[in-house]
């Protein structure tokens, strides 16, 4: 394993089971309006320009819910998917969500440059993300499916209130996914 890979993408032994679970739930392959609305709500509550509902597989992060400014899209670093819309995915080496999923713990980065492990991350250099707040999206089986997160281009003190808010939002969405699964059976 190269040093840059070690710094940017944690080893994810749970990825195969997570992918199977996401497929069973029908998640992680397409954008869904309710997830976009949820991301809009996260952005408003966090007063952040970026917010995502992210599902993680072995190779990429998929933004099933996305709130981003028009003039600085997070997904500009990806290849358009032919629909005329920016693609809603990034490689696992981009961003902080893979770390949240592997650790299964919320992550608060008030200034990513204070953390050598994250300072060289492509979303820092290419997009200018400077702060991050994310919590794992853990379903009823205990599988960490992805994250609910917010990010900003400025350093910011998210504080305990921000941490509790993102954890509460992740738990709320996980409960909603559980209801959705129950309704489908």
């Amino acid at each position: 394993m190269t040093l840059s890979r070690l710094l940017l993408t944690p080893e994810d032994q749970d990825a195969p089971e997570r992918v199977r679970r996401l497929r069973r739930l029908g998640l992680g392959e397409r954008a869904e309006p309710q997830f976009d609305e949820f991301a809009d709500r996260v952005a408003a509550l966090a007063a952040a320009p970026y917010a995502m509902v992210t599902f993680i597989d072995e190779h990429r992060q998929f933004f099933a819910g996305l709130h981003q400014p028009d003039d600085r899209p997070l997904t500009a670093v990806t290849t358009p998917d032919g629909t005329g819309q920016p693609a809603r995915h990034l490689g696992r080496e981009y961003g902080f969500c893979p770390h949240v999923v592997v650790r299964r713990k919320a992550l608060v980065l008030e200034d990513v440059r204070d953390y050598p492990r994250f300072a060289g991350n492509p979303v820092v250099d290419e997009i200018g993300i400077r702060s991050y707040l994310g919590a794992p999206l853990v379903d009823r089986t205990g599988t960490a499916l992805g994250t609910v997160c917010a990010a900003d281009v400025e350093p910011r003190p998210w504080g305990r209130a921000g941490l509790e808010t993102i954890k509460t939002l992740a738990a709320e969405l996980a409960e909603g996914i559980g209801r959705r699964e129950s309704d489908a059976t």
Side-chain angles (χ1 to χ4, degrees), residues 9 12 28 41 43 45 50 75 84 94 100-101 111 125-126 128 132 149-150 152 154 172 181:
T9 51
D12 186 0
R41 185 169 151 227
L45 289 170
Y50 299 95
T75 53
Y94 286 82
V100 172
V101 168
D111 187 339
D125 298 336
E126 295 177 31
Y132 173 88
C149 64
D152 203 336
E154 300 293 329
E172 177 186 321
E181 181 179 23

mmCIF file of all heavy atoms in Angstrom, residues 9 12 28 41 43 45 50 75 84 94 100-101 111 125-126 128 132 149-150 152 154 172 181:
data_model
loop_
_atom_site.group_PDB
_atom_site.id
_atom_site.type_symbol
_atom_site.label_atom_id
_atom_site.label_comp_id
_atom_site.label_asym_id
_atom_site.label_seq_id
_atom_site.Cartn_x
_atom_site.Cartn_y
_atom_site.Cartn_z
ATOM 1 N N THR A 9 -7.237 7.046 1.833
ATOM 2 C CA THR A 9 -8.370 6.113 1.865
ATOM 3 C C THR A 9 -8.088 4.985 2.840
ATOM 4 O O THR A 9 -7.183 4.186 2.621
ATOM 5 C CB THR A 9 -8.667 5.528 0.474
ATOM 6 O OG1 THR A 9 -7.469 5.001 -0.075
ATOM 7 C CG2 THR A 9 -9.236 6.571 -0.453
ATOM 8 N N ASP A 12 -11.063 -0.705 3.993
ATOM 9 C CA ASP A 12 -12.490 -0.874 4.267
ATOM 10 C C ASP A 12 -12.883 -2.334 4.101
ATOM 11 O O ASP A 12 -13.354 -2.752 3.050
ATOM 12 C CB ASP A 12 -13.282 0.029 3.323
ATOM 13 C CG ASP A 12 -14.760 0.045 3.597
ATOM 14 O OD1 ASP A 12 -15.219 -0.646 4.535
ATOM 15 O OD2 ASP A 12 -15.480 0.747 2.871
ATOM 16 N N GLY A 28 -27.724 3.865 -3.560
ATOM 17 C CA GLY A 28 -26.367 4.095 -4.008
ATOM 18 C C GLY A 28 -26.137 4.048 -5.498
ATOM 19 O O GLY A 28 -25.003 4.112 -5.955
ATOM 20 N N ARG A 41 -31.884 20.268 3.763
ATOM 21 C CA ARG A 41 -32.180 20.506 5.180
ATOM 22 C C ARG A 41 -30.900 20.497 6.017
ATOM 23 O O ARG A 41 -30.713 21.355 6.881
ATOM 24 C CB ARG A 41 -33.153 19.446 5.671
ATOM 25 C CG ARG A 41 -33.619 19.682 7.073
ATOM 26 C CD ARG A 41 -34.782 18.734 7.399
ATOM 27 N NE ARG A 41 -34.746 18.468 8.808
ATOM 28 C CZ ARG A 41 -34.847 17.296 9.370
ATOM 29 N NH1 ARG A 41 -35.045 16.221 8.641
ATOM 30 N NH2 ARG A 41 -34.789 17.157 10.659
ATOM 31 N N ALA A 43 -27.895 21.247 4.970
ATOM 32 C CA ALA A 43 -27.175 22.485 4.645
ATOM 33 C C ALA A 43 -27.763 23.667 5.392
ATOM 34 O O ALA A 43 -27.025 24.510 5.924
ATOM 35 C CB ALA A 43 -27.203 22.734 3.144
ATOM 36 N N LEU A 45 -29.580 23.640 8.242
ATOM 37 C CA LEU A 45 -29.333 23.517 9.684
ATOM 38 C C LEU A 45 -27.875 23.781 10.044
ATOM 39 O O LEU A 45 -27.584 24.358 11.091
ATOM 40 C CB LEU A 45 -29.756 22.139 10.191
ATOM 41 C CG LEU A 45 -31.251 21.890 10.241
ATOM 42 C CD1 LEU A 45 -31.551 20.421 10.514
ATOM 43 C CD2 LEU A 45 -31.906 22.780 11.302
ATOM 44 N N TYR A 50 -22.245 23.103 1.400
ATOM 45 C CA TYR A 50 -22.300 21.733 0.900
ATOM 46 C C TYR A 50 -22.929 20.825 1.939
ATOM 47 O O TYR A 50 -22.630 20.930 3.133
ATOM 48 C CB TYR A 50 -20.892 21.180 0.614
ATOM 49 C CG TYR A 50 -20.134 21.940 -0.433
ATOM 50 C CD1 TYR A 50 -19.243 22.948 -0.082
ATOM 51 C CD2 TYR A 50 -20.302 21.642 -1.777
ATOM 52 C CE1 TYR A 50 -18.538 23.645 -1.043
ATOM 53 C CE2 TYR A 50 -19.598 22.337 -2.755
ATOM 54 C CZ TYR A 50 -18.714 23.340 -2.374
ATOM 55 O OH TYR A 50 -18.034 24.024 -3.330
ATOM 56 N N THR A 75 -19.019 18.166 -7.391
ATOM 57 C CA THR A 75 -18.920 17.114 -8.395
ATOM 58 C C THR A 75 -18.242 17.580 -9.679
ATOM 59 O O THR A 75 -18.153 16.817 -10.633
ATOM 60 C CB THR A 75 -20.310 16.545 -8.700
ATOM 61 O OG1 THR A 75 -21.183 17.612 -9.040
ATOM 62 C CG2 THR A 75 -20.847 15.779 -7.510
ATOM 63 N N GLY A 84 -25.858 15.531 -19.139
ATOM 64 C CA GLY A 84 -25.802 16.984 -19.083
ATOM 65 C C GLY A 84 -25.704 17.486 -17.651
ATOM 66 O O GLY A 84 -25.479 18.661 -17.418
ATOM 67 N N TYR A 94 -11.288 10.863 -2.590
ATOM 68 C CA TYR A 94 -11.757 12.228 -2.394
ATOM 69 C C TYR A 94 -12.597 12.300 -1.124
ATOM 70 O O TYR A 94 -13.489 11.487 -0.919
ATOM 71 C CB TYR A 94 -12.643 12.670 -3.564
ATOM 72 C CG TYR A 94 -11.893 12.960 -4.832
ATOM 73 C CD1 TYR A 94 -11.531 11.934 -5.685
ATOM 74 C CD2 TYR A 94 -11.550 14.264 -5.169
ATOM 75 C CE1 TYR A 94 -10.847 12.196 -6.853
ATOM 76 C CE2 TYR A 94 -10.864 14.531 -6.339
ATOM 77 C CZ TYR A 94 -10.518 13.492 -7.174
ATOM 78 O OH TYR A 94 -9.842 13.761 -8.327
ATOM 79 N N VAL A 100 -15.261 8.230 7.845
ATOM 80 C CA VAL A 100 -16.395 8.142 8.774
ATOM 81 C C VAL A 100 -16.992 6.738 8.730
ATOM 82 O O VAL A 100 -17.275 6.148 9.774
ATOM 83 C CB VAL A 100 -17.467 9.204 8.432
ATOM 84 C CG1 VAL A 100 -18.726 9.002 9.255
ATOM 85 C CG2 VAL A 100 -16.899 10.603 8.650
ATOM 86 N N VAL A 101 -17.163 6.202 7.531
ATOM 87 C CA VAL A 101 -17.774 4.884 7.383
ATOM 88 C C VAL A 101 -16.884 3.800 7.997
ATOM 89 O O VAL A 101 -17.364 2.938 8.725
ATOM 90 C CB VAL A 101 -18.089 4.595 5.897
ATOM 91 C CG1 VAL A 101 -18.448 3.142 5.686
ATOM 92 C CG2 VAL A 101 -19.223 5.485 5.439
ATOM 93 N N ASP A 111 -10.739 22.695 10.722
ATOM 94 C CA ASP A 111 -9.873 23.176 9.647
ATOM 95 C C ASP A 111 -9.056 21.978 9.184
ATOM 96 O O ASP A 111 -8.170 21.507 9.906
ATOM 97 C CB ASP A 111 -8.958 24.302 10.120
ATOM 98 C CG ASP A 111 -8.177 24.934 8.974
ATOM 99 O OD1 ASP A 111 -8.024 24.297 7.906
ATOM 100 O OD2 ASP A 111 -7.704 26.071 9.139
ATOM 101 N N ASP A 125 -7.570 20.501 -2.084
ATOM 102 C CA ASP A 125 -6.774 21.199 -3.091
ATOM 103 C C ASP A 125 -7.578 21.645 -4.314
ATOM 104 O O ASP A 125 -7.382 22.740 -4.820
ATOM 105 C CB ASP A 125 -5.619 20.312 -3.560
ATOM 106 C CG ASP A 125 -4.655 19.980 -2.426
ATOM 107 O OD1 ASP A 125 -4.599 20.756 -1.451
ATOM 108 O OD2 ASP A 125 -3.983 18.945 -2.509
ATOM 109 N N GLU A 126 -8.499 20.799 -4.798
ATOM 110 C CA GLU A 126 -9.207 21.101 -6.039
ATOM 111 C C GLU A 126 -10.467 21.927 -5.849
ATOM 112 O O GLU A 126 -10.862 22.670 -6.735
ATOM 113 C CB GLU A 126 -9.568 19.805 -6.762
ATOM 114 C CG GLU A 126 -8.344 19.047 -7.232
ATOM 115 C CD GLU A 126 -8.680 17.729 -7.889
ATOM 116 O OE1 GLU A 126 -9.763 17.630 -8.500
ATOM 117 O OE2 GLU A 126 -7.863 16.798 -7.798
ATOM 118 N N GLY A 128 -11.355 23.332 -2.491
ATOM 119 C CA GLY A 128 -11.167 24.306 -1.426
ATOM 120 C C GLY A 128 -11.943 24.008 -0.159
ATOM 121 O O GLY A 128 -12.164 24.898 0.656
ATOM 122 N N TYR A 132 -15.302 20.122 7.727
ATOM 123 C CA TYR A 132 -16.170 18.980 7.448
ATOM 124 C C TYR A 132 -16.825 18.529 8.746
ATOM 125 O O TYR A 132 -16.215 18.550 9.817
ATOM 126 C CB TYR A 132 -15.337 17.836 6.873
ATOM 127 C CG TYR A 132 -16.089 16.542 6.705
ATOM 128 C CD1 TYR A 132 -16.798 16.278 5.544
ATOM 129 C CD2 TYR A 132 -16.088 15.578 7.711
ATOM 130 C CE1 TYR A 132 -17.487 15.078 5.382
ATOM 131 C CE2 TYR A 132 -16.777 14.380 7.554
ATOM 132 C CZ TYR A 132 -17.471 14.135 6.395
ATOM 133 O OH TYR A 132 -18.148 12.959 6.239
ATOM 134 N N CYS A 149 -23.472 14.446 5.855
ATOM 135 C CA CYS A 149 -22.376 15.366 6.150
ATOM 136 C C CYS A 149 -22.627 16.764 5.600
ATOM 137 O O CYS A 149 -23.498 16.978 4.755
ATOM 138 C CB CYS A 149 -21.071 14.822 5.597
ATOM 139 S SG CYS A 149 -21.041 14.687 3.803
ATOM 140 N N ALA A 150 -21.823 17.683 6.127
ATOM 141 C CA ALA A 150 -21.818 19.071 5.670
ATOM 142 C C ALA A 150 -20.358 19.495 5.546
ATOM 143 O O ALA A 150 -19.488 18.977 6.254
ATOM 144 C CB ALA A 150 -22.552 19.970 6.660
ATOM 145 N N ASP A 152 -17.659 23.052 4.376
ATOM 146 C CA ASP A 152 -17.572 24.485 4.107
ATOM 147 C C ASP A 152 -16.209 24.798 3.507
ATOM 148 O O ASP A 152 -15.252 24.044 3.682
ATOM 149 C CB ASP A 152 -17.775 25.275 5.404
ATOM 150 C CG ASP A 152 -18.258 26.696 5.157
ATOM 151 O OD1 ASP A 152 -18.031 27.250 4.056
ATOM 152 O OD2 ASP A 152 -18.869 27.276 6.071
ATOM 153 N N GLU A 154 -14.643 27.490 4.354
ATOM 154 C CA GLU A 154 -13.991 28.265 5.412
ATOM 155 C C GLU A 154 -13.802 27.378 6.634
ATOM 156 O O GLU A 154 -14.655 26.527 6.912
ATOM 157 C CB GLU A 154 -14.865 29.465 5.814
ATOM 158 C CG GLU A 154 -15.158 30.439 4.704
ATOM 159 C CD GLU A 154 -13.923 31.177 4.232
ATOM 160 O OE1 GLU A 154 -13.003 31.404 5.050
ATOM 161 O OE2 GLU A 154 -13.877 31.531 3.045
ATOM 162 N N GLU A 172 -31.871 9.957 12.166
ATOM 163 C CA GLU A 172 -33.209 10.168 11.590
ATOM 164 C C GLU A 172 -33.309 9.572 10.191
ATOM 165 O O GLU A 172 -34.282 8.890 9.858
ATOM 166 C CB GLU A 172 -33.495 11.675 11.542
ATOM 167 C CG GLU A 172 -34.801 12.045 10.906
ATOM 168 C CD GLU A 172 -34.957 13.557 10.767
ATOM 169 O OE1 GLU A 172 -34.553 14.313 11.683
ATOM 170 O OE2 GLU A 172 -35.474 13.975 9.719
ATOM 171 N N GLU A 181 -37.575 0.243 3.998
ATOM 172 C CA GLU A 181 -37.354 -1.181 3.805
ATOM 173 C C GLU A 181 -38.554 -1.991 4.310
ATOM 174 O O GLU A 181 -39.004 -2.925 3.650
ATOM 175 C CB GLU A 181 -36.088 -1.620 4.547
ATOM 176 C CG GLU A 181 -35.769 -3.091 4.379
ATOM 177 C CD GLU A 181 -34.503 -3.493 5.105
ATOM 178 O OE1 GLU A 181 -34.100 -2.817 6.058
ATOM 179 O OE2 GLU A 181 -33.943 -4.532 4.722
#
